[in-house]
Amino acid sequence: YFHELIFIDELARCASGGVLWGLIEGLQIGLPPLLYFGTEEMRKTVAKQCLMGEKIICLNITEPSAGSDVAAMKTVAKKEGDHYIVNGNKKWITNGIFSDYFTVAVRTGEKGMRGVSMMLLERDTMPGIDTKRMDCQGVWPSGTTYVEFDNVKVPAKNLIGQENEGFKVIMKNFNHERWGFVVQANRFSRCLLEDSWNYATKRATFGKKLMEHPVIRWKLAEMARQVEATHNWLENMTLQMCEMPKEQAMTVLGGPIALMKAHSSKVFEYCAREARQIFGGNAYTRTGLGERVERLYRDVGAYAIPGGSEEILLDLAVRQATRAKL
């Protein structure tokens, strides 16, 4: 996981959630279910094509009426012989508009988490998959998509894991997805700190450089202490992910990673606002000196909501700690 941390962190120096998501997000969250729970054929063909950059994959969980409440999903897959017929809608799907493969959460059984399955759909060989690009506040190049499945015929062999056991696949994937969000959000916070620091050493007001004003130094110090603390937490959690048995990590680290993800997006939001205040009007325009600040300010919501909103994750962390009797 440390190699992946470095890889994502370096890419995130671009200071654009949209560019980063457009390059790797579908791969980072859509492929792991195949790698951990997919068939050997899936790993040899689909995984190889995606890792080689020949094909693009996306994760399809969120629906118009089911976001953080994953178990409330309504997309259904009905078994007919050796196939499933999939009908339903997915919303806010990253990379969906240009994806070849779709890792999809569907309902194959009863209501709630025990009736959820995961399966692999392919655009070229399965008619009935329609994608529409969504215009969002931020992460513009990411290909945020509204996906419709209309009587899509999916071979039973495309089931990822066991029928009605898809919730386990989703939960295992969530830890890695949320961890990845933390890597990105904290690098973006660091970009905002770096840009603000450099700007403060050049811009002058009232006959002084911004850096000479105590209030500006206070803002930079507040940003720095939060960014450094988050990075320390991130490396600590990454080490645990590397050392802890995967089945144990899936449950034991769920709460701490949820807490860390919520913390990182709050730090990101704080740094975006403080950077905007330091840059002033320059951070309110989409070009010029404050271009990166303006763009990242719009990207904050894409880290505070997807993968579980801050409110849901904070509650999850406390509930898990309560069950563990910490």
Side-chain angles (χ1 to χ4, degrees):
Y1 289 106
F2 275 103
H3 289 95
E4 186 178 0
L5 187 158
I6 294 168
F7 174 72
I8 298 170
D9 188 53
E10 289 299 318
L11 284 179
R13 288 178 185 272
C14 69
S16 169
V19 169
L20 194 59
W21 286 17
L23 289 171
I24 66 167
E25 193 63 20
L27 190 69
Q28 187 184 15
I29 65 178
L31 192 59
L34 272 69
L35 297 177
Y36 289 116
F37 297 94
T39 64
E40 187 63 28
E41 182 183 355
M42 289 179 188
R43 287 192 288 271
K44 284 184 177 179
T45 56
V46 178
K48 182 179 178 181
Q49 290 174 332
C50 292
L51 290 171
M52 292 293 289
E54 298 166 355
K55 298 282 187 178
I56 297 173
I57 192 169
C58 63
L59 182 67
N60 294 247
I61 294 178
T62 304
E63 299 184 357
S65 59
S68 295
D69 185 9
V70 176
M73 69 178 65
K74 297 178 181 178
T75 297
V76 297
K78 293 185 178 180
K79 188 77 175 289
E80 291 188 4
D82 59 352
H83 286 77
Y84 288 91
I85 304 300
V86 177
N87 283 283
N89 309 290
K90 298 292 181 179
K91 196 173 184 181
W92 298 290
I93 304 306
T94 303
N95 294 176
I97 195 71
F98 40 73
S99 281
D100 304 286
Y101 294 110
F102 299 76
T103 304
V104 186
V106 296
R107 183 160 302 286
T108 51
E110 62 186 67
K111 291 183 178 180
M113 65 179 69
R114 292 183 178 83
V116 175
S117 298
M118 293 291 288
M119 56 182 56
L120 177 68
L121 278 64
E122 184 177 4
R123 189 194 297 266
D124 290 344
T125 63
M126 301 176 191
I129 301 175
D130 184 58
T131 55
K132 295 183 179 69
R133 183 182 179 277
M134 298 175 64
D135 292 322
C136 300
Q137 180 183 42
V139 293
W140 293 352
S142 67
T144 305
T145 307
Y146 186 85
V147 184
E148 295 180 272
F149 302 114
D150 183 13
N151 290 321
V152 183
K153 190 176 182 181
V154 183
K157 67 178 183 178
N158 280 38
L159 199 63
I160 301 172
Q162 301 300 312
E163 186 176 81
N164 296 327
E165 293 185 11
F167 206 74
K168 179 173 70 173
V169 180
I170 295 170
M171 289 300 103
K172 183 177 180 68
N173 203 46
F174 265 149
N175 279 354
H176 179 258
E177 177 182 357
R178 290 164 180 164
W179 169 85
F181 275 131
V182 178
V183 181
Q184 297 174 39
N186 204 52
R187 170 50 66 181
F188 292 153
S189 297
R190 196 178 291 278
C191 287
L192 290 161
L193 170 59
E194 181 181 1
D195 286 3
S196 298
W197 189 289
N198 291 335
Y199 184 77
T201 61
K202 298 173 184 176
R203 171 75 169 172
T205 60
F206 304 104
K208 294 182 180 180
K209 298 293 185 183
L210 285 182
M211 188 64 87
E212 297 178 60
H213 294 282
V215 68
I216 299 299
R217 295 198 299 271
W218 179 87
K219 286 179 181 292
L220 293 171
E222 281 291 297
M223 293 165 71
R225 72 170 180 82
Q226 294 182 58
V227 170
E228 293 300 334
T230 306
H231 191 83
N232 181 277
W233 191 358
L234 173 62
E235 290 200 352
N236 179 292
M237 198 60 60
T238 303
L239 179 62
Q240 293 185 61
M241 289 168 62
C242 291
E243 298 294 328
M244 194 175 291
K246 294 195 184 323
E247 289 303 314
Q248 182 184 4
M250 184 171 67
T251 53
V252 174
L253 298 183
I257 289 177
L259 202 62
M260 181 175 67
K261 195 262 188 185
H263 176 77
S264 71
S265 58
K266 285 177 175 290
V267 171
F268 182 18
E269 182 174 26
Y270 178 88
C271 289
R273 188 187 187 282
E274 291 302 288
R276 188 188 65 178
Q277 294 306 108
I278 291 171
F279 272 81
N282 283 319
Y284 197 65
T285 52
R286 292 179 179 169
T287 57
L289 294 173
E291 175 185 1
R292 291 186 1 146
V293 177
E294 188 277 334
R295 182 173 61 240
L296 285 172
Y297 197 90
R298 284 185 285 106
D299 284 353
V300 168
Y303 290 82
I305 300 171
S309 67
E310 292 173 350
E311 294 76 10
I312 293 292
L313 295 184
L314 291 171
D315 181 64
L316 169 65
V318 174
R319 285 189 291 109
Q320 189 186 75
T322 302
R323 287 198 300 270
K325 298 180 181 180
L326 296 178

